[in-house]
Amino acid sequence: MPDEPTWPTVDDDEPDHEPPTVQVRQPDPPTMRIQAPVRAQPVRVPPRPAAPPPPPRQAPPTEIKSEPEPVPEPITEREDPPVRTGRRKRPFVLGGAAVLVVALAGTAVAGTQAGWFDTTPAPTT
């Protein structure tokens, strides 16, 4: 096949370099109508009439009981057992130890290849 475009060409577009030109019409921006502010007129509010005084309270009738009411025990807060913090630290400690082991192993491999741990003396001239 010769150089045929994979899309139809319109408007003398270059078939090998750019896709066909497409024009998209943008919708008109939305508009909103807002009423103009109206000046407020002062309004006079009449004062409230004074409330009548409350009626005098009468003492509740007293009952004579032969036995006193039981006094409920005071409510005390129960002490919860202390929260173990070792379980929360364990994943971080294990993760740190794993990173340390990987770093030491990588240093050992790199040092062996670079000759850091050779005991033979370097030749001198």
Side-chain angles (χ1 to χ4, degrees):
M1 256 197 237
D3 294 323
E4 293 182 17
T6 57
W7 56 78
T9 59
V10 186
D11 301 334
D12 298 328
D13 288 336
E14 294 278 331
D16 294 334
H17 300 293
E18 58 185 68
T21 304
V22 178
Q23 292 183 354
V24 178
R25 180 184 156 125
Q26 295 286 335
D28 294 333
T31 58
M32 185 175 10
R33 295 182 185 261
I34 301 174
Q35 293 181 353
V38 179
R39 293 192 70 134
Q41 298 293 330
V43 178
R44 194 165 285 238
V45 178
R48 291 185 178 175
R57 292 186 182 179
Q58 296 179 353
T62 56
E63 296 179 13
I64 299 175
K65 295 183 179 179
S66 60
E67 295 179 12
E69 292 185 17
V71 178
E73 294 182 19
I75 298 174
T76 58
E77 295 183 19
R78 289 185 295 184
E79 292 185 22
D80 293 334
V83 178
R84 292 179 51 194
T85 58
R87 293 191 146 212
R88 292 182 184 170
K89 293 180 185 178
R90 185 176 297 161
F92 295 111
V93 171
L94 291 177
V99 168
L100 183 64
V101 167
V102 169
L104 289 175
T107 304
V109 169
T112 303
Q113 291 179 354
W116 293 346
F117 306 114
D118 288 342
T119 58
T120 58
T124 58
T125 57

